[in-house]
Amino acid sequence: MIDVAETPVRPLERNVTCGICGVDDEEMELEAEESEKIVMGEETVRIGKEDGVRGFKKLVDPLKPNKEEVDDHDLFHTPYRNWCPICVKAKGKALDHQKKGEINPLGYSEYSFDYGFPGDEFGFKLTVLGGKERRTGMRFATAVPTKGASGRFSSDKALQFMEEIGDKTNKVIVKTDQEPSIKYLVNDIVEGRPNGQTVLELSPVKSSGSNGVVEKCIQELEGQLRASLLAFEARVGREINAKEPIVTFMPEYAAYLLNRRDIG
């Protein structure tokens, strides 16, 4: 009779191949481990089990900014970001279908001017003269006492804008509509420039849509102006009176930010 206690037990061998499927035990263990990794949707990944509870690690959403990016954006609120509540409130709108026109073949700088009247957040209609140079995309804005003839203040600001771009004595095109208030401004601009260096291009009467460059510019300026005001009120913790001096400075600051920080 064989003594079972004295019979040596053969140790379990590793890398034993299964006689049924032909897969060794190490490969089977790897497959078992892989089956434990479960991906939950697109935002979470299983990282293991602790105390019988599955833990998950969130993936970083590439569309959401980190805190540093948010802090940088909050300084100026430009360019527009759809994750910024102030940008959405101030500038958000449906996307329009834009047609890119050809720049004038003569190579002259092309300036467009018009008035804007941002109101709601200011408590009254603030009169803003806005403009844009088409080739460079540079914008211009300033608060004016009134629409139309108001001394040389408006035209002097427009001439300074031209000089900043480098067109103090160059031949330029000034494009605007035939509204009487704009005519006064254009006449003052022509008188303040060298003779024969200003080519006037007037849009058809009662056709505001024919000068889409400046209309889009006014929309951009008003949007940035609202964003600056809302952000400033949030920082100081109170509503800003529209008659405070800082409000009349905001249109120029809005154009400054768009010229230096806007993209596209």
Side-chain angles (χ1 to χ4, degrees), residues 6-180:
E6 296 180 359
T7 304
V9 179
R10 186 177 62 179
L12 179 62
E13 297 180 1
R14 304 295 295 176
N15 298 326
V16 178
T17 302
C18 176
I20 299 176
C21 62
V23 179
D24 59 50
D25 56 353
E26 287 189 356
E27 187 172 350
M28 294 175 67
E29 289 179 2
L30 291 174
E31 292 180 355
E33 291 178 0
E34 290 295 329
S35 65
E36 289 293 327
K37 296 180 181 179
I38 303 173
V39 178
M40 303 296 291
E42 297 179 356
E43 298 183 355
T44 58
V45 177
R46 179 175 180 274
I47 61 173
K49 297 181 180 179
E50 293 182 3
D51 299 329
V53 179
R54 291 179 177 177
F56 296 92
K57 182 179 179 181
K58 291 185 178 180
L59 295 178
V60 177
D61 188 345
L63 299 180
K64 292 184 179 180
N66 56 39
K67 185 179 184 302
E68 183 179 356
E69 292 173 332
V70 172
D71 292 341
D72 290 343
H73 175 78
D74 285 346
L75 293 174
F76 309 106
H77 291 282
T78 181
Y80 173 85
R81 291 291 180 258
N82 59 6
W83 45 258
C84 173
I86 288 181
C87 280
V88 172
K89 186 176 181 180
K91 309 178 187 179
K93 60 180 180 179
L95 295 177
D96 56 343
H97 299 279
Q98 303 177 11
K99 180 186 289 186
K100 294 185 177 180
E102 295 183 357
I103 305 297
N104 66 84
L106 298 178
Y108 300 149
S109 297
E110 183 178 309
Y111 294 86
S112 301
F113 297 98
D114 202 356
Y115 290 99
F117 305 95
D120 301 332
E121 292 83 1
F122 295 95
F124 76 102
K125 294 294 183 182
L126 184 68
T127 304
V128 176
L129 173 64
K132 185 172 185 178
E133 199 289 303
R134 190 176 182 184
R135 292 173 58 86
T136 61
M138 294 285 284
R139 292 93 158 177
F140 151 79
T142 185
V144 295
T146 183
K147 179 180 179 180
S150 56
R152 297 283 305 183
F153 178 80
S154 300
S155 60
D156 286 346
K157 284 289 186 178
L159 291 172
Q160 290 175 11
F161 173 54
M162 293 180 175
E163 184 176 352
E164 179 183 356
I165 296 180
D167 289 323
K168 182 177 182 179
T169 58
N170 296 340
K171 195 166 189 176
V172 301
I173 296 175
V174 175
K175 185 176 181 180
T176 184
D177 56 32
Q178 299 189 50
E179 189 176 354

Side-chain angles (χ1 to χ4, degrees), residues 70 88 133 139 152 169 182 189-190 192 205 218 233 260:
V70 172
V88 172
E133 199 289 303
R139 292 93 158 177
R152 297 283 305 183
T169 58
I182 288 292
I189 291 175
V190 173
V205 179
I218 296 296
E233 288 180 338
R260 287 158 178 80

